[in-house]
Amino acid sequence: MATFHNFCLVLLLTISFTSMLKTGVSDKTPEQSPSSSGETNNAPLSSYEEYLQQCASKLYPDCGGKIFSAIFFGNETVSSYCCVKLVNYVGKRCHDDMTKYILQSPSYGRNQIQILRRSESVWNDCIYEDYPTLEPAGAPFPEITEITGAESKLFI
């Protein structure tokens, strides 16, 4: 539960920080001197972090927390509505990149394999829900049976 709280806090801070950057509030704050490690607290986002922020914004405000909980804690079921947003607006690449980025945090690193499995499961469940005739990624191919009669002429 504490991990979920930490993630929600990180997500909230990221969204708040992004909102401040977009509205220009951060321009009005006085500059702070670099910390002892040489980093500043108001360091601009890298292009990769901006890309991830764009990905996350497509899930905000309704679905981000639910999908996050489903992946990182396994305690949430992703709704149809959120699956549509994940598959059609975010996409597989953004989904995977956000998961891998969050896994860089020491809080989640020890459960990396479980989290990656749940991430793939959420994606596959959403794909199956949106496109039930398609099999999820990694599904086995159906066995090919011997074709006889008129059907065999189609493949000649």
Side-chain angles (χ1 to χ4, degrees), residues 4-143:
F4 177 72
H5 177 69
N6 290 342
F7 177 76
C8 289
L9 184 61
V10 169
L11 183 63
L12 180 65
L13 290 173
T14 302
I15 292 170
S16 298
F17 183 71
T18 303
S19 297
M20 287 182 2
L21 287 176
K22 288 182 179 178
T23 60
V25 174
S26 62
D27 293 338
K28 297 177 185 176
T29 58
E31 275 193 307
Q32 297 179 358
S33 60
S35 63
S36 59
S37 65
E39 298 175 352
T40 61
N41 292 336
N42 293 333
L45 296 175
S46 71
S47 60
Y48 185 67
E49 290 169 328
E50 288 176 6
Y51 154 74
L52 292 175
Q53 194 172 44
Q54 273 188 318
C55 293
S57 71
K58 295 173 185 174
L59 295 172
Y60 181 79
D62 306 330
C63 300
K66 292 177 184 178
I67 293 172
F68 178 82
S69 294
I71 293 171
F72 287 87
F73 306 108
N75 62 358
E76 186 79 43
T77 301
V78 180
S79 68
S80 273
Y81 172 73
C82 292
C83 277
V84 168
K85 288 181 95 172
L86 179 66
V87 173
N88 295 320
Y89 300 110
V90 174
K92 179 72 167 144
R93 181 176 176 198
C94 277
H95 171 74
D96 288 346
D97 289 347
M98 286 189 293
T99 302
K100 289 174 187 172
Y101 184 79
I102 294 168
L103 278 173
Q104 293 176 0
S105 167
S107 302
Y108 303 108
R110 63 182 172 265
N111 298 325
Q112 185 173 0
I113 293 172
Q114 291 173 331
I115 291 169
L116 288 172
R117 284 182 183 154
R118 282 194 298 257
S119 174
E120 195 64 26
S121 177
V122 165
W123 178 261
N124 287 339
D125 291 348
C126 285
I127 285 288
Y128 185 72
E129 190 168 314
D130 280 355
Y131 306 101
T133 58
L134 297 177
E135 290 291 328
F141 288 105
E143 290 186 33

